[in-house]
Amino acid sequence: MLRNDIAITPELVAEHGLKPDEYERLLKLLGREPSITELGIVSAMWNEHCSYKSSRLHLKTLPTRAPWVIQGPGENAGVIDIGDGQAIVFKMESHNHPSFIEPYQGATTGVGGILRDVFTMGARPIACLNALRFGDPAHPRTRRLVAGVVAGVGGYGNSFGVPTVGGQMGFHPRYNGNILVNAMAVGLARADEIFYAKATGVGNAIVYLGSKTGRDGIHGATMASAEFDDRSEEKRPTVQVGDPFAEKLLLEACLEIMAQDCVIAIQDMGAAGLTCSAVEMGAKGDLGVELDLDQVPCREEGMSAYEMMLSESQERMLMVIRPGKEAQAEAIFRKYGLDFAVVGRTTDSLRFVVKHQGDVMADMPIKELGDEAPLYDRPWIPAPKLSFLDPNTVSPPIRNGEALLKLIGSPDLASKRWVWEQYDHIILGNTISGPGGDAAIVRIEDGPKGVALTSDVTPRYCEADPFEGGKQAVAEAWRNITATGATPLALTDNLNFGNPERPEAMGQFVGCVRGIGEACRALEFPVVSGNVSLYNETNGKGILPTPTIGGVGVIADVTKAAGVAFRSVGETIILIGETAGWLGQSAWLSVVCGREDGAPPPVDLVAERRNGDFVRKMILAGHIHASHDLSDGGLAVALAEMAMAGGFGALIETLPEGPPHAILFGEDQARYLLSCPAVAADAILAEAEAASVPARIIGRTGGDALKLPDDEPIAIAALREAHEGWLPAYMGQAA
């Protein structure tokens, strides 16, 4: 007999995030009124965060396959083959809403959740990255949010013992009411020892592993599927609380029982906790699941079935154990001081049955909980096309040298050393190149092979032209990896957008996804995992469309990788790619002129592939000593970054034709800066010409200043002071 001692009212349905037509869908599915526990289960399974009901129609268009892809979207994380029997497991996910409400715990549990997604697959985490977006620095909440999020990211990763090797951080008033915290984790596994969530076998034990269940995080996934208003602070109890030390024990215990062949299926208890993990394991295996909540380890007394099913307490796993292995698996978990409890069995009923204190609290068709989730083809309108901004019509308000100093000291382009010095980026001893470059390089075990890792997106491009912005985000991540000499293999995405029920916001999402798909196909850079975060709005004001791209590549020998730092005096500086001086939506236009207008730079994917393949070939051949892709701030900012990293200056003797301010600060795509020994320059130019790659010598390294044409030299010390000063000064101000 199904127990239901709470009346289901329209108000209660609305509080659970279900619209009237969705509730009618549930009534039709069950053939009766749901219990309160069933209503909670469906609110979790059918919300935007878990069901992707507004996005999955469009996500299906993304390319997800390649010969090196072992597992694409649909599992806890994506998996790619990197040769020698090794695989890289990786994913990116958001914790935006929780981090706005409670920045430290929101960021902490975001890192913890993505790490579990990776080691659930049988991989040992080897690196973390992140992408952070905050509001206007002048906004009264921004400094506190930055401090809390950065401390949370570092606090969890450092304590867990995984290096945080890269990321991105930006500011814009459009994030005042909704910050973004995107966390990425990367792990190493044996290619033939990947673990999945698909349950098999009738009558097998379903085991609860890890920490105890509490009341933290209840309705966390539902909260993440709704926009904010002035009462968003009241949602603080929906934010989970993390324990990195418990997660480290959980990692070791999981990997140990995997090595002992105890595991049939395993699933992280992430969004929607016990509900989502149990349903997904059963549904993927075409099996039913029966849970006995009396066996669930709880840290609080009197928890109801509703609370246990929806709790998002951290550091928990659900596992189907191989028959006869229960005692062996339990002994391993007890050794690590973790809970181990048989909480259910697989069945052949295709039903999801939940029992508590002798009563049936839920009895639902398991496949339909996922398969019958609403799927919307939401109305959308394309973003209006902006016109080309002729650089000749934009007069520079200050000299180019002054503009460069202002740019590299601006919130988005200033050094983020204050952030990454709070992260341990060298723990485990395999970080070859950490934060501050185009992509991090992490050595695989004892080498010489390594992986290149990056995260990137330019939201102002995506706002101005979602299709080109989506293309550019992928191309930028691909260039970041290529600039190190690594071969880009696959990506994970975190698609952060506003309210999909607004056609304008949905149009931004559709445009970006289409641009991402086109770039992925052209660059052979498939999407193997990801996350969608919608409803990033407060009181109707949405964020900039921000489809963060996390890229992974491989390099056969890490000693051949190139960095951004000029290596020695007297080297030749070569500019790769066409430079026309595209100023629309550029950082220069925004920071120096106070404008955000014009069309963003178009992305020629044929040129991206051609130019990048050439640069990678030159690096691996040993011809290139330093390499840097050109992005925000264009040529001048790239030169300054290479000079500051190397510790000495450069004399720029010639530039492409055009207005100097546009040539120096324009953001034309598919471009790189290279430095090489002077004796190698002619051969590189000859090879570039043979490959139809635009290349030209623009100057040479040396001295203690950066000398731009027709401008005063800028001392490296002055560049560093401007670049390194803003963020520490900002964070040092009284809150």
Side-chain angles (χ1 to χ4, degrees):
M1 180 70 180
L2 184 72
R3 178 179 169 186
N4 187 22
D5 49 11
I6 295 180
I8 307 300
T9 64
E11 292 77 18
L12 192 59
V13 171
E15 286 176 13
H16 281 75
L18 292 176
K19 292 181 167 48
D21 61 317
E22 293 174 338
Y23 184 64
E24 288 300 318
R25 189 186 194 98
L26 173 59
L27 293 177
K28 184 177 179 181
L29 175 64
L30 295 179
R32 56 173 170 77
E33 185 178 84
S35 69
I36 183 61
T37 302
E38 289 174 330
L39 180 64
I41 287 170
V42 170
S43 77
M45 292 298 297
W46 287 9
N47 64 46
E48 194 73 57
H49 189 78
C50 294
S51 74
Y52 291 71
K53 57 190 176 185
S54 297
S55 61
R56 66 183 193 266
L57 190 69
H58 302 283
L59 297 178
K60 291 178 180 178
T61 66
L62 293 172
T64 60
R65 297 180 180 179
W68 51 88
V69 174
I70 296 173
Q71 175 64 52
E75 274 288 342
N76 287 292
V79 187
I80 58 173
D81 191 329
I82 61 168
D84 304 312
Q86 297 170 322
I88 291 295
V89 180
F90 65 104
K91 189 182 181 183
M92 182 182 286
E93 200 159 71
S94 62
H95 233 218
N96 302 335
H97 285 46
S99 299
F100 182 79
I101 296 171
E102 179 54 66
Y104 183 89
Q105 292 297 346
T108 284
T109 49
V111 174
I114 200 64
L115 285 166
R116 286 196 304 278
D117 281 340
V118 165
F119 71 76
T120 298
M121 305 287 291
R124 180 172 290 278
I126 60 172
C128 282
L129 298 91
N130 53 71
L132 312 176
R133 294 279 163 182
F134 297 99
D136 186 343
H139 191 277
R141 296 188 63 157
T142 299
R143 191 179 296 107
R144 181 180 69 84
L145 290 169
V146 171
V149 166
V150 171
V153 170
Y156 205 98
N158 297 352
S159 301
F160 180 83
V162 64
T164 300
V165 298
Q168 191 189 36
M169 178 173 165
F171 298 83
H172 196 280
R174 291 277 290 280
Y175 301 103
N176 281 349
N178 282 87
I179 65 171
L180 301 185
V181 176
N182 296 171
M184 178 177 168
V186 182
L188 177 67
R190 298 297 305 172
D192 58 354
E193 295 178 3
I194 306 299
F195 290 82
Y196 300 96
K198 179 181 177 180
T200 60
V202 174
N204 287 332
I206 298 174
V207 179
Y208 174 114
L209 310 166
S211 298
K212 288 180 169 57
T213 293
R215 290 188 170 96
D216 56 316
I218 294 173
H219 286 305
T222 303
M223 179 266 292
S225 303
E227 63 179 82
F228 280 165
D229 54 28
D230 292 330
R231 300 175 62 191
S232 60
E233 287 288 344
E234 297 175 9
K235 298 179 180 179
R236 190 178 301 273
T238 66
V239 178
Q240 310 91 333
V241 177
D243 182 348
F245 301 105
E247 178 129 328
K248 174 63 173 175
L249 296 173
L250 183 62
L251 161 71
E252 300 300 340
C254 285
L255 294 183
E256 189 169 332
I257 67 168
M258 288 170 174
Q260 296 296 322
D261 195 29
C262 297
V263 180
I264 291 176
I266 184 169
Q267 177 73 40
D268 162 43
M269 286 196 225
L274 188 55
T275 287
C276 199
S277 56
V279 170
E280 287 188 4
M281 288 176 69
K284 286 179 178 178
D286 293 321
L287 294 171
V289 166
E290 184 172 304
L291 297 180
D292 179 2
L293 299 187
D294 294 346
Q295 308 306 315
V296 171
C298 293
R299 66 170 180 262
E300 300 181 48
E301 294 184 0
M303 289 190 71
S304 67
Y306 177 95
E307 290 173 323
M308 281 187 268
M309 292 306 296
L310 296 185
S311 168
E312 293 184 10
S313 294
Q314 297 292 286
E315 292 86 40
R316 301 181 301 158
M317 295 280 194
L318 204 64
M319 186 179 293
V320 177
I321 292 288
R322 200 169 296 284
K325 296 278 190 175
E326 293 90 344
Q328 183 180 358
E330 182 173 3
I332 292 170
F333 268 76
R334 298 297 184 197
K335 178 179 70 174
Y336 286 99
L338 297 168
D339 278 298
F340 179 103
V342 176
V343 297
R345 299 277 172 183
T346 57
T347 71
D348 60 2
S349 67
L350 287 176
R351 305 286 295 181
F352 184 49
V353 179
V354 178
K355 297 180 179 179
H356 187 222
Q357 298 177 348
D359 291 322
V360 176
M361 310 305 292
D363 185 351
M364 314 174 78
I366 197 166
K367 295 282 284 184
E368 287 79 356
L369 274 176
D371 295 347
E372 292 298 318
L375 174 62
Y376 295 123
D377 185 3
R378 294 202 184 274
W380 61 276
I381 56 176
K385 287 289 185 182
L386 300 181
S387 58
F388 166 69
L389 180 63
D390 186 343
N392 291 293
T393 66
V394 184
S395 298
I398 55 179
R399 292 179 63 87
N400 291 330
E402 295 176 78
L404 176 57
L405 288 169
K406 187 170 184 178
L407 272 168
I408 64 170
S410 64
D412 277 13
L413 297 184
S415 169
K416 302 305 184 292
R417 184 183 300 275
W418 181 91
V419 173
W420 55 258
E421 283 189 342
Q422 297 184 53
Y423 304 155
D424 190 334
H425 53 275
I426 59 173
I427 194 170
L428 303 181
N430 282 320
T431 304
I432 303 299
S433 176
D438 286 319
I441 302 284
V442 177
R443 181 175 53 212
I444 298 298
E445 295 178 336
D446 295 328
K449 183 167 55 182
V451 288
L453 311 169
T454 188
S455 65
D456 223 306
V457 65
T458 309
R460 63 182 184 275
Y461 291 176
C462 298
E463 169 90 346
D465 187 329
F467 180 70
E468 289 296 329
K471 285 166 59 180
Q472 194 274 340
V474 173
E476 171 76 358
W478 191 87
R479 282 201 306 271
N480 287 341
I481 293 168
T482 293
T484 69
T487 300
L489 290 181
L491 64 85
T492 181
D493 57 29
N494 207 141
L495 308 179
N496 308 275
F497 291 83
N499 186 342
E501 296 170 49
R502 288 197 301 109
E504 297 83 0
M506 194 66 202
Q508 292 173 338
F509 177 83
V510 172
C512 284
V513 168
R514 291 182 175 182
I516 289 169
E518 180 160 314
C520 288
R521 282 183 285 271
L523 300 173
E524 291 188 278
F525 200 31
V527 181
V528 298
S529 61
N531 171 246
V532 177
S533 175
L534 303 179
Y535 293 98
N536 289 290
E537 294 200 0
T538 298
N539 294 326
K541 295 180 181 179
I543 62 166
L544 293 175
T546 311
T548 308
I549 301 297
V552 174
V554 68
I555 185 166
D557 185 349
V558 295
T559 65
K560 294 184 177 181
V564 302
F566 287 145
R567 192 183 297 180
S568 59
V569 172
E571 293 201 336
T572 298
I573 303 171
I574 298 175
L575 174 62
I576 299 293
E578 293 285 0
T579 298
W582 194 286
L583 288 180
Q585 299 300 326
S586 66
W588 179 87
L589 194 68
S590 175
V591 172
V592 176
C593 300
R595 299 168 50 180
E596 293 185 0
D597 59 316
V603 180
D604 182 340
L605 293 168
V606 173
E608 290 283 1
R609 183 71 181 266
R610 181 189 64 228
N611 297 357
D613 287 350
F614 170 78
V615 168
R616 190 184 313 108
K617 178 183 175 182
M618 293 297 100
I619 292 171
L620 297 179
H623 301 325
I624 303 301
H625 283 176
S627 170
H628 194 10
D629 90 301
L630 271 61
S631 55
D632 286 351
L635 174 60
V637 167
L639 283 165
E641 289 171 343
M642 296 177 83
M644 287 187 290
F648 46 85
L651 173 63
I652 305 306
E653 299 167 309
T654 179
L655 291 174
E657 292 185 8
H661 65 285
I663 298 302
L664 285 169
F665 301 109
E667 296 179 6
D668 307 84
Q669 300 294 293
R671 296 189 300 159
Y672 301 80
L673 266 182
L674 311 177
S675 73
C676 66
V679 295
D682 288 343
I684 292 172
L685 292 181
E687 290 215 38
E689 184 176 8
S692 299
V693 171
R696 63 186 298 153
I697 294 172
I698 63 169
R700 62 183 186 273
T701 63
D704 59 2
L706 176 61
K707 177 66 172 70
L708 302 175
D710 302 320
D711 218 315
E712 294 297 317
I714 309 172
I716 301 301
L719 288 170
R720 281 208 177 113
E721 183 180 1
H723 189 53
E724 299 283 353
W726 181 81
L727 190 53
Y730 173 70
M731 294 308 299
Q733 295 172 23

